Amino acid sequence: MKAQRLMTITVLALTLLASFVPVPAAAQGRSDAPAGQMTWAVHVSLSPVWFDPAEHTGIITLMMVLYAVHDAMVKPMPGNPMAPSLAESWTVAKDGLSYEFVLRKGVVFHNGDALTAEDVKFSFERYKGAAAKLLKEKVVAVEIVDPFRVRFRRKKPWANCMKFFDRPGSGAGSIGPKNYVEKVGYEGFKKAPIGAGPYKLTSFNPGVDLVLDAHDRYWRKTPAVKRLVWKVVSEDLTRLAMLKRGEVDVAYSLRGPLGEEVTRTPGLKLMSTVVSGTMLPVILEYPSVSA
C-alpha cells in the first residue's frame, strides 16, 4: 500500500468502505481474498460511543466508524444517494401511512448470526440518538411481517421518513444484532461492537489507535484490504510528516499550505471530497449594544 499513498482533506472520504458493488462473496480459497494493511492518520480522537449506531450524535465525523463496522437499511452509494443495502427493496402504502422493507437474505453479522426482521425492530426501538424523539413520535409501530419483511406504520404521511434511514444524519437505519446486544448489554456492546459492515473491530486503544479487520462474509463484497489501522494524530504537521515518511498511507485534514506541500511531494496525491447538503438561511438577532 505504501507505493500509492492517498490523502484527503475531509473526514468524508470513505470511498474504500462505501463503494463495494453488490456481488456475492466467493467461496473460501478465492484468489481475491483480502490482503495487506492500510494505515490512516486521523485528526480526531475516536470515541467508544461511535461504535453504537443507537447513540448517533448527529455529527458526521463518527460515520467513519459506522460505515466500516455497521450497515444500514439504505445508505448513500456512488451514483445513488439512497441505495438499497440491508433492505433490498421497499414499498410505500397508497395512503402514505406505512413503509414495508424487504430484507436481504444471507446477511450475517460479524459473529455469524443471520440478520432478520427481529434485529431491525429491535434496533429501531432501542435507538436513542439524533432525532430519536421525532422518529418515535412519527412511528406508531414496527411490525414483523415475516423473518425478512418489516413494516413501519406512521400516524400520518411523512415525506422525510426515508431520510432517517439513509444516514449520515441519523443512526436509526443501522442494524445491530438483537441477541448479542441483549447478551452483553449496551455498555458491553460499545466495548465489543458487532455489526454487519465490511470491517469488524479487532482492538481499540483510546486516544491511540483503532484496528479493524475485513469481514470476509460481508454481503456486498469482501474488502480488498485485510486490515485497517487508524492512528489518532492530532497535530497537522505530524500527520504530514508521517505521510511523507511512509508511516501511514492516508492522512486526513491537511489544509492550506500543508495541502500544497502534499501536491509538491512525489508519490503523494491530494484528494478532496464534495459534501452534499441542504443549506437553510439563518437569521441571528443580537441585543443592541450601547457605548
Side-chain angles (χ1 to χ4, degrees):
M1 293 297 171
K2 297 291 192 275
Q4 184 180 4
R5 304 185 187 99
L6 301 179
M7 178 274 173
T8 178
I9 61 173
T10 77
V11 77
L12 294 180
L14 297 177
T15 308
L16 176 69
L17 306 179
S19 62
F20 302 118
V21 293
V23 296
Q28 280 191 333
R30 62 191 180 281
S31 60
D32 62 339
Q37 174 177 305
M38 179 175 281
T39 304
W40 300 3
V42 299
H43 62 301
V44 293
S45 182
L46 305 169
S47 170
V49 73
W50 295 2
F51 300 156
D52 189 351
E55 297 190 22
H56 193 301
T57 59
I59 64 173
I60 192 68
T61 314
L62 57 79
M63 295 308 301
M64 63 191 298
V65 177
L66 292 190
Y67 271 129
V69 178
H70 298 282
D71 209 342
M73 299 283 279
V74 297
K75 66 183 181 184
M77 293 290 287
N80 188 349
M82 195 178 296
S85 196
L86 297 180
E88 63 180 11
S89 65
W90 57 90
T91 55
V92 185
K94 291 183 178 180
D95 59 10
L97 296 181
S98 68
Y99 277 64
E100 189 165 299
F101 294 88
V102 177
L103 302 182
R104 193 175 302 277
K105 295 181 180 179
V107 176
V108 296
F109 292 104
H110 299 154
N111 63 351
D113 289 351
L115 181 143
T116 70
E118 290 279 358
D119 301 300
V120 175
K121 177 178 172 66
F122 173 78
S123 296
F124 182 85
E125 291 179 345
R126 87 180 188 96
Y127 181 69
K128 56 181 179 179
K133 184 176 184 296
L134 176 62
L135 282 166
K136 300 303 172 66
E137 289 174 350
K138 296 287 187 179
V139 177
V140 176
V142 182
E143 301 170 342
I144 295 176
V145 180
D146 63 43
F148 294 97
R149 193 180 299 265
V150 62
R151 180 185 300 122
F152 288 78
R153 291 198 297 110
R154 303 198 305 273
K155 297 177 182 179
K156 56 183 179 181
W158 185 27
N160 292 325
C161 177
M162 287 300 297
K163 300 304 296 181
F164 290 87
F165 288 96
D166 70 351
R167 300 195 299 185
S170 161
S174 297
I175 309 305
K178 176 178 183 290
N179 292 339
Y180 178 75
V181 176
E182 290 181 334
K183 178 181 178 180
V184 302
Y186 285 15
E187 292 304 312
F189 183 74
K190 283 186 287 188
K191 294 177 181 178
I194 292 293
Y199 284 88
K200 52 189 177 182
L201 189 145
T202 299
S203 67
F204 174 56
N205 297 310
V208 180
D209 60 28
L210 173 70
V211 178
L212 303 164
D213 283 324
H215 175 32
D216 59 7
R217 298 181 66 186
Y218 182 53
W219 71 270
R220 203 180 282 276
K221 183 180 180 181
T222 301
V225 180
K226 183 175 183 179
R227 171 162 290 187
L228 299 180
V229 178
W230 295 350
K231 294 185 177 182
V232 177
V233 185
S234 59
E235 292 294 329
D236 296 357
L237 285 171
T238 304
R239 290 197 301 278
L240 177 58
M242 294 175 69
L243 187 67
K244 294 175 72 172
R245 290 195 299 263
E247 296 176 14
V248 297
D249 302 294
V250 179
Y252 277 120
S253 192
L254 298 181
R255 295 160 290 180
L258 298 185
E260 294 175 359
E261 176 67 17
V262 171
T263 64
R264 293 192 295 267
T265 305
L268 298 184
K269 184 177 181 181
L270 182 69
M271 297 182 67
S272 63
T273 59
V274 178
V275 182
S276 61
T278 301
M279 305 302 175
L280 300 177
V282 178
I283 300 176
L284 301 177
E285 296 185 359
Y286 294 94
S288 58
V289 178
S290 58

